[in-house]
Amino acid sequence: MGMLAIVISLALLMYFAYRGVTVLLLAPVMGLLAVVLSGDGSFLLPIYTSTFMTALSGYVLQFLPIFLLGSLFGQLMADSGAANTLARWIVQSLGERRAIVSVVVACSLLTYGGVSLFVVAFALYPVAVSLFKAANVPKRLIPATIALGAFTFTMTALPGTPSIQNAIPIPYFGTNVFAAPGLGLIAACFMFAGGLWWLQRRAAQARAKGEGFGEHPEHEEQAQPEQPASHGRWSVMPVPLALLPLLLVVGINALFTYVVFPSVDFSFLGERFANMDPQKVVGLWSLIIALAVACLALVLLRLGRWTDLKESVNKGIFGFMLPLFNTASEVGYGAVIASLAGFAIIRDAVLNVSPHNPLISEAIAMNILAGITGSSSGGLSIALQTLGADYLAMANAAGISPELLHRVAVMAAGGMDTLPHCGAIITLLAICKLNHRQSYRDIATVTILVPLPALVLVITLGTLFGSF
């Protein structure tokens, strides 16, 4: 009955999430429904206050600065004109005939530099429209093109990427965002090449059939008009200055990760922070410093040229709250499910999938939970909250590096997360004014069918040669 309660709860969570109900309401309600159905109804309120809220608040406490600074950085990149400058520079460099490549490269550069994928989608959509129309490539391929550049290799595989997904395993495994860099680069190249091959093939098929950009209402197809140089996100900014904040995010992160913090003796923290393990937090500290410096640099670079700096800062700060609490609510839901007796059966079954190679078990668990929640960060957080310690112990026993465990976890969470009920996919389609029937097949191919073989490749190479 306990397992049935969990299955019913998860099925309803997926259904209502696809129907657009906010996870802020769904997570506690579906978690408590599972409690009632499992026969623990008498503990309903204690489980809500002591299990759900404790897990939620713990996640917020741990990752609030990453969400906050990431959201602020993305907003400043957009409103300073840096994001638009870089996008148009890449397009001009590669040419209109390479419309698909131009959009993928522009998206990947911005997301790898720390710009929120939603900011990237909004910034690149009008550019993509004008490019695809000029190259006579079907508009229905725009969402998949943006998704390949923003939702795949720059989110999960490239070493040093400041995505929240790449930061979540740090406190569980004592790693950093550069974990298994060689394997990450191999996976990133695989995803980039595979996704690009598919999109180019689909464009060629459409061209052979005589299908062009397509018939769409004229007002939807026009890119954003050019605005005066002082007008926020459409302002003109020199390319080197636009690139500088992105380089600062990656460069400062690497500097503190590999040079500054390894040379610091943290023994002085023992008296005041006895329960803190510096090894499990320095990766987060490096990312926090890098994002903070990049935000400050953006403000100073455009000092005196901001349309309304206060509005941009406030919008960036307020923008972090919903993504953070959505993910934290999913973590709370996972903690409630993990507290039920039926979960022990599920946990043991997952852990015993491949007892001698926890990478396989970890990949399956992350994919399943990311698919159920429709969120890579949510699924990853739930899995590590409930199974992270088990996987680390299994990896240590098998002689597997925590860095390899980190990279496989992040890549696996970026596999099945983009099922049709995924909030990011629904938002992307809304931005592009398209629907699932028109574009989801190509989105699923580049965000699920291409990343999964890349994950298998990393697990295989990691098992044979270890982390590198």
Side-chain angles (χ1 to χ4, degrees), residues 15 85 108 122 125 131 159 313 375:
Y15 173 77
T85 294
S108 59
F122 275 110
Y125 170 66
L131 274 177
V313 170
S375 166

Side-chain angles (χ1 to χ4, degrees), residues 180 183 354 356-363 398-401 404-405 408 455-468:
L183 290 170
S354 179
H356 301 297
N357 190 345
L359 298 176
I360 297 174
S361 169
E362 181 186 48
I400 294 173
S401 165
L404 180 55
L405 210 59
V408 168
L455 173 63
V456 173
L457 177 62
V458 166
I459 292 175
T460 303
L461 292 175
T463 301
L464 293 175
F465 305 108
S467 179
F468 61 88

Side-chain angles (χ1 to χ4, degrees), residues 234-315:
W234 303 107
S235 62
V236 176
M237 190 175 186
V239 171
L241 292 185
L243 272 173
L244 180 60
L246 306 187
L247 297 176
L248 285 174
V249 171
V250 178
I252 292 177
N253 195 349
L255 177 66
F256 277 86
T257 297
Y258 291 112
V259 179
V260 177
F261 284 141
S263 64
V264 175
D265 180 5
F266 288 104
S267 59
F268 70 94
L269 295 175
E271 295 182 6
R272 190 166 181 179
F273 302 97
N275 296 325
M276 177 185 290
D277 182 359
Q279 183 64 30
K280 293 187 175 183
V281 292
V282 292
L284 291 176
W285 290 350
S286 299
L287 187 52
I288 289 170
I289 293 170
L291 287 170
V293 171
C295 287
L296 180 61
L298 265 171
V299 171
L300 295 177
L301 285 172
R302 302 297 284 171
L303 206 59
R305 292 186 153 187
W306 291 94
T307 302
D308 191 337
L309 179 58
K310 182 179 71 174
E311 181 185 354
S312 295
V313 170
N314 286 345
K315 192 173 180 181

